[in-house]
Amino acid sequence: MKKLTLLFLLLMAACIGFQACDDTMTYAEMKEREDDAIAAFIRDSSITVISQSQFFAQDTTTNLERNEYVQLASGVYMQIVDRGIEGDTVRNNDEILVRFTEYDILDKYLMYSNLEVAYMVDGFRYTETSSSIAGIFMPDSYYYNYFSSSAVPAGWLVPWAYIYNKSHVKLIVPSDMGSSTAMSSVIPYYYDIRYQIY
């Protein structure tokens, strides 16, 4: 009986030891880590977060002097730097050219930027149905080739309800509204984006 009890205790100790060595994170832990990273980025960047009701009360604008970002229902934080050419709205099947910077908020480094490189313009096709909007990167797009994904991050499409052609926005995009890489790794990204309808 003593040998059986000793064997049982050794097995329990081994199981606890293996569990203690498991450093994989659950999805809930990864989401918590993401939320903490976004909160730290907002604090460190001196961002003032406003509600959607305040955003609508301000005629869907954000105050740049106060470094305001609106937190939208999608979870995306948006600052409208320049609304663009009023009335010149995006339509189904339009091609949109984008210049942007992509910054990894979690690991704190610049992932990609085509803002300063004249020949590196990314483009995607905007599609709209009665129930959804989507964007598909063009096959010659650098983003498409770099990330091997044709799907435009959903967070990039959210601003189009409030902006026009030749607009400039800044976004904090949580992983579930980001690229396939962001979603699989649960990483939030910051974007500085300039859109132009082609």
Side-chain angles (χ1 to χ4, degrees):
M1 184 71 173
K2 286 183 180 180
K3 287 182 182 180
L4 190 58
T5 304
L6 183 59
L7 180 63
F8 177 72
L9 290 173
L10 285 173
L11 283 172
M12 286 216 19
C15 288
I16 290 170
F18 283 124
Q19 190 174 16
C21 292
D22 183 13
D23 57 357
T24 59
M25 297 177 77
T26 66
Y27 181 72
E29 290 169 331
M30 292 170 83
K31 284 299 286 178
E32 185 177 338
R33 179 185 67 172
E34 175 184 39
D35 292 343
D36 291 345
I38 290 173
F41 182 80
I42 288 170
R43 182 189 63 244
D44 296 345
S45 302
S46 301
I47 291 171
T48 301
V49 178
I50 62 171
S51 66
Q52 279 192 230
S53 57
Q54 185 176 348
F55 177 63
F56 288 120
Q58 295 174 185
D59 193 27
T60 63
T61 61
T62 51
N63 187 310
L64 300 179
E65 289 177 11
R66 292 197 304 260
N67 200 23
E68 286 182 350
Y69 282 64
V70 58
Q71 183 178 15
L72 301 167
S74 62
V76 171
Y77 295 81
M78 175 181 68
Q79 180 182 71
I80 299 174
V81 178
D82 183 347
R83 193 178 263 188
I85 303 168
E86 193 162 343
D88 193 357
T89 59
V90 68
R91 292 175 181 78
N92 186 38
N93 217 29
D94 275 349
E95 185 177 335
I96 299 172
L97 302 179
V98 287
R99 289 196 172 278
F100 66 97
T101 294
E102 180 178 66
Y103 177 81
D104 179 329
I105 292 175
L106 187 65
D107 295 320
K108 300 179 181 177
Y109 69 92
L110 182 67
M111 287 284 295
Y112 178 90
S113 179
N114 67 1
L115 286 178
E116 304 298 328
V117 186
Y119 64 88
M120 287 178 59
V121 178
D122 285 280
F124 65 89
R125 178 117 9 236
Y126 178 91
T127 58
E128 185 176 351
T129 66
S130 59
S131 61
S132 68
I133 58 173
I136 304 296
F137 280 111
M138 303 308 215
D140 59 347
S141 164
Y142 283 91
Y143 194 95
Y144 174 83
N145 290 307
Y146 187 80
F147 292 101
S148 302
S149 175
S150 62
V152 172
W156 285 24
L157 305 174
V158 170
W160 282 102
Y162 314 103
I163 61 172
Y164 305 102
N165 186 24
K166 296 190 176 179
S167 56
H168 177 192
V169 299
K170 294 179 180 180
L171 306 172
I172 298 170
V173 178
S175 60
D176 55 353
M177 292 295 288
S179 65
S180 56
T181 301
M183 286 188 270
S184 64
S185 302
V186 192
I187 296 175
Y189 287 93
Y190 166 79
Y191 294 98
D192 185 340
I193 306 177
R194 289 142 181 92
Y195 299 103
Q196 181 176 347
I197 299 170
Y198 184 63

